[in-house]
Amino acid sequence: MDLNNIERNQLDYFLTDVLPTELSDRFTYIYFYKYLISKNKDIQSMIRHQIKAKNDNNSDILFSGSKSWCSMPLKYTIMKQLHSEREISLLQPIAAVELFLFISTYQKEILSILDKNAIFSLRYHKRNNELVYKNTKKSVIKYFSDLQSETDKEVLEQTGMFFDIGPFKSIAQFTSSEEWFLLNSKYKFFIRTDYKSCFDSIYTHTFNWIIGKDVNDTKKFNNGSIYSSIDRILMNINARTSNGIVVGPEFSRMIAEILLQAIDREVYSRLLNQGTIAGINYNVYRYVDDIFIFAQSEKLANIVVDLYAEVARKYLLQLNETKLYRSKVPFVLEEWLNDTNSFTNKISALLFRNKEEVEALIKANKEKYEDKLQSEEFTPYLLKAYNLKNSKSNIMNRLNELICKYEQKTRTITAYFLGMLLNKVSTNKNKTRIFRESVSEKTVCNFLELAFYAYSYFPNFANTQKLLSILSYVRDEYDILAHKEILQKLINRYAFVFEKGNLNDTINLILFCCQAKIEIPFHQEEKIVKSLREKDDPILWASYLLYAKYSKKYYQEIRNEIGQILQEQIAGIVQKESIFTYREFWWVLIFNKADCLTSVEQDKIDELIASIKTSTERSAGAILGRLFKEYLMNSSIQFFEWDMKKRDFLRNFTFMTKERSIFKNYQQNLNSLEWGSF
């Protein structure tokens, strides 16, 4: 095979950079993606039209806000702290295609802007020439634009991202780098701050101000200007809203970076004009909205942060004064951080064998069995079951003490503890086991209870991912799905997490209950359904319907309620020419072609889809409108995967979790958790 001049398929962006991580496992763009692949001629036509419109600067304004472009995202909340939430946005599929077209049109300009202005940035997008994706079954698979049929498209959705991220992929990577330690020895003072409600505060029109300075009339700008297109597209994907940009897609972080770099550049230039030189008198490092300032004096550090505040106000952004942190350097970790590190390391050493202990175990086995074959068949194991049995209560008490002492750090403490467990059970799987081959049910139950206990303190989405991944690795050695009594006992005991956590954070745990065929206690089911009614989220309702299948009677009860809500939602869409701008349209996207619908309900959906007006024009917007309508009318599988047996939910979810680096390098990640917890 000739590997020269291979190009990555641009349409991959549709899968990798537009979906939020915090989402029900059942929602997917995969099938729509495959459909778009089959419509390559139309896709290329849309791209050519957009590029021509950009270059010609004609009256055909790019992403002008036509009915074919504008759509309403599905907004929902996840846990931020125990008593606070963060809003996340899931883009409509038609909006995701719009972002793909935007990237196809402006990729070179975007990457050039980001590279040119990355004077302080720790995280910006660069071209990714990597044409290898990891697979759940094989170590890697090669993916090329001319080998579409030979690859599993799901790996794209799971492994993202389309662009490379650098020079640091996380704050943790930065704070554990040689550069960080050099800064601590070179400078005398340190300030950490961030932008207050950064994404929610960004006014889309300010992107025009980057080149137009204080000119507020966006009509004065070139229609093909990247900044004007950013303004329009941010409004299109957010139902024409100019206040704030959607939170969740990687696309938003990339676009925000353009604006934040513009602020960096102005701060840098004004300091330089004053004779203050970056790298000598001071240094600034920014990771998205987090700003790290190092300076030779407290006075200079304050000048820099005040200048940031002044320049940010020009773009209608503010620094978060409540999270302003000043310190001399070297920076010393807080007491809670040291205590958490010490506690977790001790528990790790208590419960799991290290490399030297594993080698000693292998040696002892060889000495026990003179027969070479018997000794070679032995697989060393990590868990010290005896220590677990005798120390479980003590470990729980120690965790209690730590959380009581540092209550405000509950999120980070539990995340770190679960990360440690997950890191241990997921390493060297081909060379070691978690448990000895003759492990008892009691040992497995005790181990899982430790994970559930820690999780119950802070059941947010990331910790749900960790918990499910732990369950997956345990299942590889001990068929917990065949021993439902273990899982049922744990779910019964810790069912309060469904009330304590946000439903969007725990929905994948509910889906696991579906796969394991275990029941959530009735009183908690009632509370879940109450929450479903309050949230009015079709993805959550659809996911819960899958769980309800454990009982025919209960399933029919939930299905009937969904049917009633669905018809009410369809009736609420009164302006058919603006169908995509209705939040109610999400019910159509999720339940269209679902087997659970009655013929009457499906007919109502079909009637609504048929009312979508399309144009015979060859513009990009018109082509997209026709493609989307055709898909809605003809595809048997839409945007929600109803068949739980089609793929292994638990294994798939674990693979996705690992590839998105939720728990990698847990010791380093403690620093990252620290910065996020101010």
Side-chain angles (χ1 to χ4, degrees), residues 71-89:
S71 60
M72 172 70 75
L74 182 65
K75 295 183 182 291
Y76 58 95
T77 58
I78 59 171
M79 286 180 66
K80 184 178 181 180
Q81 297 293 345
L82 277 176
H83 304 295
S84 64
E85 296 179 332
R86 172 184 286 116
E87 186 178 77
I88 302 293
S89 292

Side-chain angles (χ1 to χ4, degrees), residues 93 217-218 298 416 584 592 595 665:
D217 185 3
T218 61
E298 182 176 3
Y416 192 53
E584 290 89 340
N592 183 32
D595 292 339
N665 303 317

Side-chain angles (χ1 to χ4, degrees), residues 417-430:
F417 183 82
L418 285 169
M420 179 274 294
L421 292 180
L422 184 51
N423 188 74
K424 285 296 183 181
V425 302
S426 65
T427 55
N428 299 319
K429 293 301 296 177
N430 295 327

